[in-house]
Amino acid sequence: MILINFIFKLSIFPFYSEIGVYPLVLIPSEESCVCGGRLTTYHEPAFIKIVTLHGLKAARSYHKKCSDCKQKYYHSFARTDEGDVTYRKHCLSQTYLIMSNRSGFEVAYLTTTSDIIEGTGSSFGSIAECYESTHGEAVEPQRLEEGYFLLRLLELYNLYNELLSVSELK
């Protein structure tokens, strides 16, 4: 029975054996689009890795798409057909902040990491090395840097009660 359970998990979650943790399922919470259109959940998930305080976690991330304006909704953000990305106000109150169809972070990990960076002046490279030596799993310093700055921007925009649109940063 244990072998069947293991094979089942490997068949559903391709990199389950690579990072050795149980996967998460992330689905956007929206029920309707901002335009009033109906959202449909797509059954082709993205397999992403989430960096947490306790090591990497595997996740299946689903998205919803509006039947009218074709806007796509993901766990932490929405994307238009033109490629503009808008992070939602509530994304920092969730456990995980998803940055793309490849990666995401636990909000607690990003907060802890930003405290370390600001308190000690550590580089993203040194934090990535510490993560790898602690958990045995590599994290790209560039992803840490992106996560750090996204966290700070979201905190700033939430402070002023605004939505963060990535197209505004171009």
Side-chain angles (χ1 to χ4, degrees):
M1 185 63 172
I2 293 172
L3 180 60
I4 292 171
N5 192 18
F6 180 72
I7 292 171
F8 175 72
K9 288 176 186 170
L10 284 178
S11 66
I12 293 180
F13 306 104
F15 61 91
Y16 173 83
S17 61
E18 180 184 330
I19 60 178
V21 292
Y22 288 98
L24 301 167
V25 176
L26 303 173
I27 301 173
S29 58
E30 285 80 12
E31 296 297 324
S32 62
C33 184
V34 292
C35 75
R38 188 176 61 84
L39 296 178
T40 304
T41 302
Y42 281 77
H43 300 289
E44 291 295 324
F47 293 96
I48 61 175
K49 295 179 183 179
I50 299 177
V51 180
T52 72
L53 289 168
H54 306 290
L56 293 177
K57 287 189 176 182
R60 292 179 83 171
S61 180
Y62 292 90
H63 72 277
K64 294 181 179 181
K65 187 174 182 179
C66 178
S67 57
D68 296 336
C69 70
K70 308 301 181 210
Q71 181 162 298
K72 295 179 183 175
Y73 289 85
Y74 297 86
H75 183 70
S76 301
F77 60 90
R79 177 177 285 146
T80 64
D81 272 348
E82 293 81 34
D84 292 337
V85 174
T86 302
Y87 282 86
R88 295 187 296 280
K89 290 181 183 181
H90 71 276
C91 67
L92 288 182
S93 62
Q94 296 176 326
T95 306
Y96 304 105
L97 177 63
I98 305 306
M99 297 174 47
S100 68
N101 282 340
R102 296 182 323 158
S103 66
F105 290 93
E106 181 182 35
V107 174
Y109 174 77
L110 281 178
T111 303
T112 302
T113 301
S114 67
D115 291 345
I116 292 169
I117 289 168
E118 293 165 7
T120 65
S122 298
S123 69
F124 297 106
S126 65
I127 290 176
E129 288 174 12
C130 288
Y131 193 89
E132 185 172 2
S133 66
T134 303
H135 300 292
E137 300 160 328
V139 176
E140 298 173 31
Q142 180 182 353
R143 285 284 174 200
L144 285 175
E145 185 176 0
E146 291 169 357
Y148 168 80
F149 285 110
L150 180 59
L151 174 75
R152 289 298 178 217
L153 281 170
L154 287 169
E155 288 174 340
L156 179 66
Y157 273 79
N158 283 339
L159 181 67
Y160 292 103
N161 204 23
E162 299 286 332
L163 290 174
L164 174 61
S165 176
V166 177
S167 61
E168 294 174 9
L169 303 175
K170 294 179 183 174

